[in-house]
Amino acid sequence: MKRETQLVRTQIPRSENREHSVPLYLTSSYTFDDADQMAAMFNEEQEGYIYSRYSNPNVTEFGEKVAQLEGTEASWVTASGMAAIFSTFGALLEMGDEILSVRSVFGSTHRLFTEIFPKWGIKTNYVAFDELDTWEDAITPETKILYLETPTNPGVDIIDLKAANAIAKKHNLIFIVDNCFATPINQCPVKFGADLVIHSATKYFDGQGRVMGGIILGSHELIHKIQGFARHTGPAISPFNAWVLSKSLETLEIRVERHNSNALEIAKRLESHSQVKSVKYPFLPSHPQYEIAIAQMTGGGGIVTFEIEGGLVRGKAFLNDLKLLSLTANLGDTRSIATHPASTTHSKLTESDRLKVGITEGLIRISVGLENVDDIWADIEQALN
Ligand SMILES: *Cc1c(COP(=O)(O)O)cnc(C)c1O
């Protein structure tokens, strides 16, 4: 089946009620026919359901659909994107191991690397996203994982997945990509050699700002290790959230296509506005890594950033003058959202640290939604003016 059909038609077997839409399995545990069957189920290799911290039919269905999309053997679903990221490192690293990561990672991932993992003797070496020739200098015998996001947040910089993978493979590192910004509709990192792919399902998978979720995708072998860690540490997603996410995947492709086309159009209009110093969008030919973007992505995604004339003061004034766009920390929603990273998500960083990850005082990030593009633009334009 083709991708759209898989997304709509993949579902767990129907119950004897022959429901069309999959029911919600709100149960914390499952029953057994007899003592022998129960004993067999506790053998870890056995397929089936025991307890919903381990697995649940709604969770299985959501995980299978995303594995099909990303082209991986297996998946493990968690309660949030951060639960997926923490479980992955927790399962794969030992005390004394090191992580090689690109500096511009999601804020909470940065906190894991700099504040939480050091408690267990796990160190992170940061490298610049566009200086791949320096990455090997940051690899030591203890380095076990290469971790990155592309497009990055909030800079929408693009990292060359094929070149990054070559470095990872040469040094025997597990190559992990947080693919949240692109979604598997626009980019499948496994095709470029990634060993594991991680998503915050809270963003485009739900796409309607309702539930939280996360997922890790990869080979049976790696996912089995993560599963062993996650089953006993408890980052399980609620069946309800998994059910919502699985239903949302039915419309993922058409939503992402519209996010892509609306965002490209907004990026083009911003580029020709006099109050805008610069615009960054992966599929604009002016993007510094445009060639890499079109080689590894099939769409530019829904996130556009731009630099407003006048810095911090004008950046805040722009947000205050918006009438349609929401001021909220989420992204990937049907509703367009504007944020000003320097005064919000990245306000705790010093100015020089902000600049290292490309956050200038006048940087605005727009998560372009599914409203009519002329309405989105009218709001942005009146606020700029
Ligand atoms: C939101 C986000 C996360 C964390 O996901 P949660 O579901 O909020 O825990 C991780 N990576 C990226 C790129 C994100 O945007």
Side-chain angles (χ1 to χ4, degrees), residues 121-312:
I122 293 169
K123 189 181 154 200
T124 299
N125 296 309
Y126 276 135
V127 287
F129 83 91
D130 56 348
E131 293 169 13
L132 271 74
D133 54 333
T134 67
W135 290 15
E136 287 188 76
D137 299 337
I139 296 174
T140 75
E142 276 62 60
T143 311
K144 298 288 153 49
I145 286 175
L146 169 62
Y147 183 88
L148 57 85
E149 297 169 15
T150 179
T152 63
N153 177 33
V156 287
D157 296 312
I158 302 292
I159 302 167
D160 188 335
L161 287 170
K162 221 167 112 188
N165 180 59
I167 295 171
K169 293 295 173 297
K170 183 175 163 195
H171 294 272
N172 237 335
L173 310 181
I174 302 173
F175 180 29
I176 306 178
V177 179
D178 178 337
N179 199 29
C180 173
F181 267 42
T183 83
I185 303 299
N186 289 326
Q187 170 176 282
C188 291
V190 168
K191 282 192 193 150
F192 301 93
D195 299 298
L196 288 170
V197 174
I198 297 182
H199 284 278
S200 164
T202 315
K203 313 295 168 52
Y204 289 99
F205 286 1
D206 172 35
Q208 290 144 86
R210 300 164 301 185
V211 302
M212 312 241 3
I215 187 163
I216 312 142
L217 303 122
S219 65
H220 282 305
E221 191 195 341
L222 286 172
I223 295 296
H224 190 73
K225 280 189 190 164
I226 294 164
Q227 172 182 320
F229 180 88
R231 279 186 165 184
H232 304 296
T233 48
I237 191 171
S238 100
F240 176 74
N241 286 8
W243 178 84
V244 170
L245 288 167
S246 188
K247 292 300 287 177
S248 294
L249 286 183
E250 295 182 16
T251 57
L252 181 71
E253 176 150 347
I254 57 168
R255 284 188 286 109
V256 171
E257 280 170 1
R258 181 64 69 85
H259 282 295
N260 288 343
S261 61
N262 276 359
L264 179 61
E265 183 60 28
I266 293 296
K268 285 181 181 162
R269 294 188 192 183
L270 281 167
E271 227 177 10
S272 58
H273 195 283
S274 64
Q275 293 304 304
V276 174
K277 255 162 91 176
S278 62
V279 184
K280 223 144 131 214
Y281 181 70
F283 272 33
L284 275 186
S286 59
H287 189 289
Q289 296 91 38
Y290 174 69
E291 295 299 329
I292 303 169
I294 58 169
Q296 67 190 27
M297 301 175 79
T298 53
I303 310 292
V304 179
T305 63
F306 67 96
E307 170 85 30
I308 195 166
E309 294 282 2
L312 198 61

Side-chain angles (χ1 to χ4, degrees), residues 60-79:
T60 303
E61 182 184 286
F62 170 61
E64 272 180 22
K65 279 190 188 176
V66 185
Q68 285 174 352
L69 265 181
E70 288 282 7
T72 62
E73 287 174 357
S75 64
W76 187 256
V77 182
T78 56

